[in-house]
Amino acid sequence: MSRRRYRRKNEGLLDIAVRLDWKVSAGLAAASVFGGAVLVPALLGSSPALRPISTVFTQFAWLVAFVFALIAVIRSTAPPEPAESDQPPAPPSTQDNVWIPSVASGVPPRPPRPESWSLDVLDRVEWKRFEDLCCAFYREKGIRAETTRLGADGGIDIHLFQDDTDPNRATAIVQCKAWNKPVGVKEVRELRGVMAHEKVEKAFFMAPNGYTDDARAFATENRITLLDGKLFLAMLQRLPEEASKRLLEFATAGDWTTPTCPSCGDRMTARDSKRGAFWGCVTYPKCHAKLGMRAKPAAAI
């Protein structure tokens, strides 16, 4: 059971009053007044022995009524909470740098399916499909490659296995970042730390929009191969024609530009807010994941 569900299950009347509409608090206040002014005296007030207890319960009921009435006043005067469609994008995070196809607002049109590889195609491929494309590329090269599960990947998106003497030992790791900006040295340093933890001597970083100069310098000193969009495009084009075509069909099949939810793996949908358009999970409110979105449409293929 999730922590959120656990809290909901065990929250009290005060928590409910604060979270729900002001009318709930007003109703609880009225119920407390009735209990303190009518119910408690009727049940306990007739007995001299119980009359002191009745007085205590009555005073407590009035106190509770005052608290709920105060909450009702505050809730009734506060501005309404915005709906999901009005929620601003989540604060920037590593995942928010994922490349997202550009739309102005609303549901983005699906781009035409390309007939050949280009840098524009690599830019448009949503982040999860890009990871799967990278894995499929290594398999086309005859290398056993396995992607990690969705969610926290520990800095690894793909494991490569090329040790014939120990088939289950990964010999290299791959990190993929389909960002709309160059990858910095921080991410490359993190990959070096993962190499040490995994006890592998080689690593590959694949990012369509390249790397900063500091990132390139660090990678050169630490046996990390950086593959940007131009280099990866050349590698795709140098494959045998059938293999290259097969990967293109795989990368652009179905809805290949709408991002995958990084939390639950479902699709995301375009939403609008006062701060602009953003991607939200289609399963909301079950999943609250969000991703940033560019403000202007990208050029057509």
Side-chain angles (χ1 to χ4, degrees):
M1 180 182 292
S2 67
R3 292 183 179 179
R4 179 170 181 159
R5 290 182 179 177
Y6 181 82
R7 287 197 299 268
R8 287 284 178 86
K9 183 178 180 180
N10 292 275
E11 63 184 357
L13 288 178
L14 186 60
D15 299 311
I16 295 174
V18 171
R19 179 169 56 84
L20 298 181
D21 188 78
W22 68 271
K23 295 178 182 179
V24 175
S25 301
L28 291 173
S32 299
V33 170
F34 176 78
V38 179
L39 190 59
V40 172
L43 294 177
L44 305 178
S46 59
S47 173
L50 298 178
R51 195 167 297 153
I53 300 177
S54 172
T55 302
V56 172
F57 273 103
T58 299
Q59 292 175 347
F60 178 74
W62 280 103
L63 176 61
V64 172
F66 172 78
V67 172
F68 283 132
L70 181 61
I71 293 175
V73 171
I74 295 174
R75 294 288 292 170
S76 65
T77 57
E81 295 183 359
E84 167 63 12
S85 59
D86 295 327
Q87 290 288 338
S93 65
T94 299
Q95 191 62 53
D96 286 339
N97 288 319
V98 166
W99 189 93
I100 302 299
S102 309
V103 298
S105 63
V107 179
R110 183 179 301 180
R113 191 166 185 177
E115 297 180 358
S116 61
W117 283 111
S118 68
L119 288 176
D120 198 39
V121 172
L122 290 178
D123 273 348
R124 286 174 178 265
V125 175
E126 62 100 6
W127 71 271
K128 186 63 175 69
R129 186 72 64 88
F130 180 75
E131 290 182 4
D132 294 339
L133 168 64
C134 294
C135 184
F137 168 79
Y138 285 108
R139 290 173 178 172
E140 288 288 353
K141 297 286 289 183
I143 300 172
R144 178 187 162 200
E146 295 181 1
T147 56
T148 57
R149 294 181 178 181
L150 191 69
D153 55 26
I156 305 172
D157 292 316
I158 304 170
H159 286 91
L160 303 181
F161 301 85
Q162 294 178 280
D163 188 349
D164 295 334
T165 61
D166 187 359
N168 295 321
R169 185 181 74 87
T171 54
I173 56 177
V174 183
Q175 180 71 2
C176 307
K177 294 292 184 189
W179 290 0
N180 60 358
K181 68 176 186 179
V183 172
V185 68
K186 174 179 177 292
E187 289 71 30
V188 182
R189 282 200 185 104
E190 290 174 351
L191 181 58
R192 181 64 186 88
V194 176
M195 290 172 62
H197 181 267
E198 295 287 317
K199 298 180 181 180
V200 298
E201 297 183 355
K202 290 194 301 182
F204 300 88
F205 212 124
M206 308 183 77
N209 284 285
Y211 310 85
T212 63
D213 292 339
D214 289 344
R216 291 186 179 277
F218 183 86
T220 301
E221 298 171 356
N222 291 276
R223 296 176 60 85
I224 299 176
T225 302
L226 302 183
L227 303 175
D228 59 15
K230 292 182 180 180
L231 183 56
F232 189 32
L233 174 63
M235 295 168 69
L236 289 167
Q237 293 173 332
R238 283 200 298 264
L239 288 172
E241 184 177 355
E242 287 299 318
S244 181
K245 182 179 179 181
R246 189 159 49 242
L247 289 179
L248 179 62
E249 291 177 349
F250 167 77
T252 60
D255 189 354
W256 55 285
T257 59
T258 300
T260 300
C261 176
S263 295
C264 69
D266 213 317
R267 278 292 171 181
M268 307 195 86
T269 184
R271 303 185 188 278
D272 207 1
S273 73
K274 295 178 181 179
R275 297 184 183 180
F278 67 96
W279 292 107
C281 185
V282 296
T283 65
Y284 177 88
K286 180 180 178 181
C287 177
H288 290 253
K290 296 177 184 178
L291 291 175
M293 183 184 294
R294 291 175 179 173
K296 296 180 180 180
I301 295 177

